[in-house]
Amino acid sequence: MSSAVSSRRSRPGRPGRPRHIPAYDDRLSGREQILDVAARLFVGRGFAATSTREIAEGVGIRQASVYYYFSSKDKILEELLALTVRPTLEQIDRVEAVATEHGWAAALYALVMIDTGTLAEAPHNTGLLPSLPEVRSLEQFQPYREVRSDLVDAYGRLGSHIVGHQVDGNLITHLVESVVASRADGVAVDEDARHAIATAALGACGATKEEITIAAAVTWAELLA
């Protein structure tokens, strides 16, 4: 055998591209299956205690196949974290545009309803992932922390417009994230519960009962219908 042929045969290719993803869940793509299993394991066992081998076994693929979709376990967690805030952040411009016609209370109500909806529907309650010690401290998760800070700032900005002075966005964020705690306790978070959280957020910013009623009506008519 020539050295050229030997070299070609020994040269590693792209790692682990799967020819077929077993039917973990036919509704999900291979990438989504990995994220779903990883979410369950990270929430249930923790990030450090979960290996890519266990994620692969949960999906039913080779460990090397995980690396076809994600270059590292960190990247899997980064994507799961992004999914807890991305749907809400993508709506901020649209939500703030509502304020032009309907007022800041409507904008804040809408943002809280969108955010609580994202957290209420997140598979395996992935809203718990930001509390992992690795996410709070490791440098590779700083981009997520910055994005989450943008969301906190948006809450503070909207609340400040309502009350007329500076509002700490963390106050509203903590109300929103009560969804995560409720789910962890086995309590379903339905539309009424989300409305109650949005009402509490507006009340904390000084909105009147009439403003809250109008805000809810506008949100359902224009953003959540």
Side-chain angles (χ1 to χ4, degrees):
M1 180 184 298
S2 71
S3 60
V5 172
S6 176
S7 175
R8 284 197 300 271
R9 289 187 177 178
S10 62
R11 186 182 301 126
R14 189 174 184 180
R17 179 172 183 171
R19 294 180 180 273
H20 172 67
I21 295 291
Y24 168 76
D25 186 335
D26 289 336
R27 297 167 299 177
L28 303 178
S29 68
R31 186 175 187 275
E32 290 169 337
Q33 290 177 36
I34 291 169
L35 288 171
D36 190 70
V37 171
R40 173 171 53 81
L41 292 173
F42 291 164
V43 169
R45 301 180 56 186
F47 180 69
T50 299
S51 68
T52 54
R53 178 182 59 79
E54 290 167 321
I55 294 170
E57 288 176 352
V59 178
I61 58 176
R62 300 185 307 274
Q63 182 179 6
S65 297
V66 173
Y67 295 105
Y68 172 72
Y69 295 98
F70 298 96
S71 60
S72 68
K73 189 174 70 166
D74 287 355
K75 293 299 182 183
I76 299 175
L77 180 53
E78 286 176 17
E79 178 61 15
L80 289 170
L81 290 167
L83 289 172
T84 68
V85 293
R86 185 185 298 145
T88 304
L89 289 170
E90 288 175 346
Q91 295 294 324
I92 285 180
D93 288 344
R94 185 182 176 204
V95 163
E96 292 191 326
V98 168
T100 304
E101 184 175 355
H102 299 289
W104 294 105
L108 179 57
Y109 183 95
L111 190 61
V112 171
M113 288 298 289
I114 292 168
D115 201 4
T116 54
T118 297
L119 295 175
E121 296 170 7
H124 309 293
N125 201 13
T126 48
L128 288 166
L129 295 178
S131 64
L132 291 172
E134 295 88 352
V135 176
R136 292 177 176 272
S137 61
L138 296 182
E139 182 178 354
Q140 57 263 45
F141 301 115
Q142 179 62 25
Y144 163 75
R145 294 194 293 269
E146 292 175 356
V147 168
R148 183 182 181 278
S149 180
D150 290 341
L151 181 55
V152 173
D153 289 346
Y155 279 127
R157 185 167 62 250
L158 295 178
S160 297
H161 280 297
I162 295 171
V163 75
H165 58 73
Q166 187 65 39
V167 169
D168 184 355
N170 285 297
L171 171 65
I172 303 171
T173 302
H174 290 156
L175 288 171
V176 169
E177 291 177 348
S178 66
V179 169
V180 177
S182 293
R183 291 186 63 189
D185 290 337
V187 178
V189 180
D190 58 14
E191 185 180 297
D192 288 341
R194 292 166 53 213
H195 168 72
I197 294 170
T199 297
L202 266 66
C205 296
T208 66
K209 185 175 181 179
E210 181 181 3
E211 287 175 323
I212 293 170
T213 299
I214 294 172
V218 167
T219 296
W220 284 105
E222 299 199 8
L223 290 175
L224 300 179

